Amino acid sequence: MRIGELARLADVTTRTLRHYDELGLLTGRRDANGYRAYDDTDLRTIREIRMLVGLGFALEDTRPFVECLRAGHERAASCPDSLAVLRRRIAEVDDSVDRLHEVRGELTRQLGEASRARCEFSGVEP
């Protein structure tokens, strides 16, 4: 299939596909006429990349998953490098969740202090 059809099926722009190609994430072959040619494997690769990006992965972090698919594995996350990236992302998410809990606690503390100060000023019970 040509790039336009692949873009339509993957619900991305042709510019996105060319960008993936420039990064080496997508390896379109050239037909005799010079057009890029893609197949269902490329479509699956793009869907994997889009899913991972949707989970907050940087494009470069999708590379081990793409390489795992290219190596013929059924699951992009089944290779050691993919698993390492997943573990790292989980640790990053855990750190973010911890930080968000800290921020929430501080915001709650400030809200409580502000409410008490406002009520003291106005003479109204909190």
Side-chain angles (χ1 to χ4, degrees):
M1 74 183 85
R2 289 197 181 154
I3 194 168
E5 182 181 0
L6 181 63
R8 183 181 55 76
L9 291 172
D11 197 26
V12 297
T13 65
T14 56
R15 184 171 186 229
T16 296
L17 297 180
R18 287 186 186 98
H19 182 64
Y20 292 172
D21 189 47
E22 289 169 6
L23 294 175
L25 296 173
L26 188 62
T27 54
R29 289 142 310 278
R30 296 281 181 172
D31 281 341
N33 60 10
Y35 289 114
R36 287 182 176 102
Y38 301 96
D39 58 24
D40 289 339
T41 303
D42 296 309
L43 178 59
R44 181 161 182 233
T45 298
I46 294 163
R47 287 180 173 158
E48 185 73 23
I49 292 169
R50 300 305 299 161
M51 183 271 300
L52 292 167
V53 167
L55 292 174
F57 284 71
L59 278 176
E60 189 56 37
D61 288 337
T62 68
R63 188 172 304 280
F65 299 87
V66 170
E67 290 171 356
C68 193
L69 288 176
R70 279 191 193 141
H73 295 273
E74 184 64 28
R75 295 185 43 87
S78 62
C79 296
D81 289 346
S82 302
L83 294 171
V85 172
L86 285 174
R87 287 184 186 101
R88 190 187 81 234
R89 280 295 295 145
I90 289 170
E92 290 170 357
V93 168
D94 287 344
D95 289 345
S96 294
V97 168
D98 291 345
R99 177 67 183 127
L100 286 171
H101 281 295
E102 291 172 9
V103 168
R104 187 181 193 290
E106 177 61 20
L107 291 171
T108 301
R109 184 191 67 73
Q110 287 185 22
L111 178 62
E113 286 179 7
S115 294
R116 283 188 296 281
R118 183 170 185 261
C119 291
E120 290 170 4
F121 179 74
S122 66
V124 177
E125 291 293 316

